Amino acid sequence: MTSYPELMHTALDTTDCRGLAEFYRELLGLQYRPGDEPPAESAEDDADWLVLVDKDGRRKLAFQEVSTLPRSTWPEHDVPMQLHLDFAVPTRDELQRHKQRAEDLGATLVLDRSEDEGEPLYVLADPAGHPFCFCLITPKASIGVW
């Protein structure tokens, strides 16, 4: 039997490690890996690597601090996406609700295809500029055809 590596998590570079981790923690309902929680208010937060886990403790996202990070200019190609995350939602109402939640948390809208009959979606950029999508699951998508 052949064994394969298992994806541990996706790591995102950022100039604000705690800020981006907080954005995704709130957006996705995740929690910090034990030991990565924010420090007490009086302590300095010098985190340069943070991991978010789901309710069962499985790693989902990690954040690595870098000194500079050019913001993606997608859909222009001056600075490509480099990486983007896709999140599925089940209804048009949820598509709109999660877009608004993301904007309230600091995301910016990059592309609105919410009225597209084939692939309704929103492309947003997180506070560090990483693009991510909220995609409406369609019957075709639920059987693996997207």
Side-chain angles (χ1 to χ4, degrees):
M1 177 179 258
T2 303
S3 66
Y4 296 96
E6 186 176 327
L7 179 64
M8 188 166 57
H9 55 238
T10 299
L12 299 171
D13 285 351
T14 179
T15 58
D16 178 6
C17 203
R18 181 69 63 191
L20 194 59
E22 277 296 301
F23 172 82
Y24 281 106
R25 186 185 68 76
E26 290 277 336
L27 183 69
L28 301 175
L30 299 173
Q31 58 197 30
Y32 286 102
R33 165 182 70 170
D36 283 357
E37 299 87 356
E41 284 188 36
S42 61
E44 181 180 343
D45 189 350
D46 60 356
D48 60 2
W49 177 263
L50 296 169
V51 176
L52 294 178
V53 298
D54 65 15
K55 62 181 173 32
D56 296 320
R58 290 184 300 261
R59 290 171 176 246
K60 295 297 179 178
L61 291 172
F63 306 89
Q64 174 177 269
E65 190 146 326
V66 295
S67 59
T68 62
L69 183 69
R71 189 176 182 93
S72 172
T73 57
W74 187 91
E76 302 301 320
H77 297 287
D78 299 329
V79 180
M81 273 192 192
Q82 303 161 356
L83 164 95
H84 78 273
L85 303 169
D86 289 333
F87 301 105
V89 299
T91 67
R92 285 190 182 274
D93 286 345
E94 288 294 293
L95 185 67
Q96 178 59 37
R97 185 175 78 79
H98 287 296
K99 172 203 166 272
Q100 187 60 56
R101 281 188 61 245
E103 289 176 326
D104 291 346
L105 291 167
T108 54
L109 183 64
V110 176
L111 177 68
D112 179 347
R113 282 198 9 212
S114 60
E115 297 304 317
D116 186 305
E117 288 304 315
E119 291 181 320
L121 60 86
Y122 288 112
V123 180
L124 296 106
D126 68 25
H130 304 106
F132 65 95
C133 303
F134 288 126
C135 307
L136 178 63
I137 298 172
T138 64
K140 286 182 182 177
S142 67
I143 59 170
V145 179
W146 187 252

